[in-house]
């Protein structure tokens, strides 16, 4: 009995096991946003000469891999809508009148943010954690795409230890080429237990002098019927805001 009691005391004295990489990534997903939400985002594309082009989108996400985004401005893009179902993506343009398939590496805005960034689904839906390194203030996760359909073959994600939120992400092609770097800034309390970066900035060595910024607002938990995340509903998405 004394031996058993001593063993139990020794086990209690051991430090708590550190989170493994997959657990960290799952927490990153939920800390960035609820599994189902609505939000507004402004995308700002900055040219080498300092000129800017801005877009405002209303976004909805349901589950781990369904996203819809509706363009509210500029006037030339108002009414356009995009849908993502896992790795499949479509763009609806009112003047065309039907959804058109697009790829993850294309950009419906022409910015450094591609369609995979604009219609982002859970990282855990797309990536496995290969290695986890612990540094003083951050974890460094090396992520590998689960399939060849994912926009980036590998990600290096630096995660704030205290907040379990990304600080910097480097995105790589299968060749090892660095495609872009994303920087997460301006931690904001959105209410409802959601506290995350309100600003994401990105640049690419392939597009020197260009920069894109994504600003989040109005992020909150929301529930939607499955019907909204279908091709047939894309022409009607704007009705949700009337």
């Amino acid at each position: 009995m004394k031996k058993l009691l001593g063993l139990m005391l020794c086990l209690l004295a051991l430090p708590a096991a550190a989170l493994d990489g997959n657990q960290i990534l799952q927490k990153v997903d939920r800390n960035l946003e609820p599994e189902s939400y609505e939000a507004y985002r402004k995308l700002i594309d900055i040219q080498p000469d300092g000129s800017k082009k801005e877009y405002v989108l209303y976004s909805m996400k349901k589950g781990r891999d369904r996203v819809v985004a509706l363009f509210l401005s500029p006037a030339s893009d108002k009414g356009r809508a995009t849908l993502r179902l896992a790795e499949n993506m479509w763009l609806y343009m009112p003047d065309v009148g039907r959804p058109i398939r697009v790829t993850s590496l294309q950009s419906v805005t022409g910015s450094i943010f591609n369609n995979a960034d604009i219609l982002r689904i859970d990282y855990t839906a797309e990536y496995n954690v290969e290695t986890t390194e612990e540094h003083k203030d951050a974890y460094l996760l090396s992520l590998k795409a689960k399939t060849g359909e994912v926009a980036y073959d590998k990600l290096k994600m630096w995660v704030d230890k205290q907040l379990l939120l990304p600080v910097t992400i480097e995105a790589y092609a299968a060749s090892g080429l660095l495609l872009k770097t994303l920087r997460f800034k301006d931690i904001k309390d959105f209410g409802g237990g959601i506290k995350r970066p309100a600003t994401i900035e990105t640049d690419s060595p392939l597009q020197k002098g260009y920069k894109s910024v994504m600003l989040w607002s109005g992020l909150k938990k929301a529930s939607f019927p499955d019907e909204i995340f279908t091709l047939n509903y894309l022409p009607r998405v704007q009705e949700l805001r009337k």
Side-chain angles (χ1 to χ4, degrees), residues 98-116:
R98 62 180 178 83
I100 300 170
R101 285 293 293 263
V102 294
T103 69
S104 60
L105 287 173
Q106 290 176 314
S107 175
V108 292
T109 64
S111 72
I112 299 177
F113 287 117
N114 59 30
N115 294 338

Side-chain angles (χ1 to χ4, degrees), residues 7-23:
L7 179 59
M8 291 177 65
L9 290 173
C10 288
L11 290 173
L12 290 172
L14 291 174
L19 290 173
D20 69 24
N22 289 301
Q23 288 177 319

Side-chain angles (χ1 to χ4, degrees), residues 64 123-128 144-150 152-153:
R64 300 175 63 228
Y123 287 112
T124 49
E126 293 189 293
Y127 294 93
N128 291 315
K144 171 68 175 176
K146 293 181 178 180
T147 73
E149 302 300 316
V150 177
Y152 312 116
D153 182 67

Side-chain angles (χ1 to χ4, degrees), residues 41 43-45 55 57 59 67 69 71 80 82-84 86-87 89-91 102-121 123 126-127 149-155 169-173 177-182 200-204 206-207 211-214 216:
R41 289 177 294 164
L43 302 182
I44 306 171
D45 295 329
Y55 304 84
L57 287 77
S59 302
V67 185
F71 284 77
R80 293 170 69 189
T82 52
L83 168 67
R84 179 173 185 177
E87 293 309 317
M89 304 182 195
W90 293 267
L91 167 66
V102 294
T103 69
S104 60
L105 287 173
Q106 290 176 314
S107 175
V108 292
T109 64
S111 72
I112 299 177
F113 287 117
N114 59 30
N115 294 338
D117 301 321
I118 297 170
L119 299 171
R120 193 187 74 78
I121 59 176
Y123 287 112
E126 293 189 293
Y127 294 93
E149 302 300 316
V150 177
Y152 312 116
D153 182 67
K154 291 183 180 179
L155 298 178
I169 295 177
E170 292 179 350
Y172 293 86
L177 178 69
L178 175 63
L179 297 175
K180 70 178 61 167
T181 301
L182 299 107
I200 305 173
E201 297 178 354
T202 187
D203 53 52
S204 170
L206 307 179
Q207 295 171 274
K211 179 180 176 181
S212 292
V213 181
M214 184 183 297
W216 286 75

Side-chain angles (χ1 to χ4, degrees), residues 15-30:
L19 290 173
D20 69 24
N22 289 301
Q23 288 177 319
I24 294 170
L25 192 60
Q26 288 170 9
K27 290 183 178 293
V28 166
D29 276 332
R30 291 292 68 82

